[in-house]
Amino acid sequence: MNWDQVEGKWKQYSGKLKEKWGKLTDDDLTTINGKRDQLVGKLQERYGMAKDQAESQIDEFTRRLSEADREAHKTRGA
């Protein structure tokens, strides 16, 4: 899954983002509005992580979303 897909389904995925990064507020998620660079900045701000660490975590999160979507499609298709 690429970030454009996450951005396109931002409202759907924002709950999952909040599960992963609980320090993000609803206002943060509204402000970020699917923009990856703004999410990186908020993760740096809220968690005190370096930019490359935030980007790495976002990449891992996106990969897991993709895997979960594939599994959901398999289950529905079976």
Side-chain angles (χ1 to χ4, degrees):
M1 174 176 299
N2 65 39
W3 191 257
D4 290 336
Q5 292 169 303
V6 174
E7 188 174 1
K9 296 180 179 181
W10 185 249
K11 287 187 181 196
Q12 178 182 338
Y13 291 136
S14 61
K16 293 183 185 296
L17 284 155
K18 206 162 178 192
E19 286 175 22
K20 170 94 174 134
W21 296 292
K23 291 182 182 179
L24 294 176
T25 66
D26 290 335
D27 285 344
D28 289 338
L29 295 172
T30 299
T31 301
I32 293 165
N33 196 30
K35 303 298 182 227
R36 189 177 192 281
D37 60 331
Q38 289 186 18
L39 177 58
V40 168
K42 281 295 177 189
L43 291 179
Q44 289 179 275
E45 179 183 326
R46 298 278 186 244
Y47 289 90
M49 60 178 77
K51 183 177 181 179
D52 61 334
Q53 183 183 11
E55 289 175 339
S56 177
Q57 286 192 18
I58 292 168
D59 290 343
E60 176 66 15
F61 175 79
T62 324
R63 187 183 63 75
R64 289 183 184 215
L65 276 180
S66 184
E67 289 172 1
D69 279 356
R70 276 195 298 274
E71 278 301 310
H73 287 299
K74 277 188 207 176
T75 304
R76 282 191 294 250

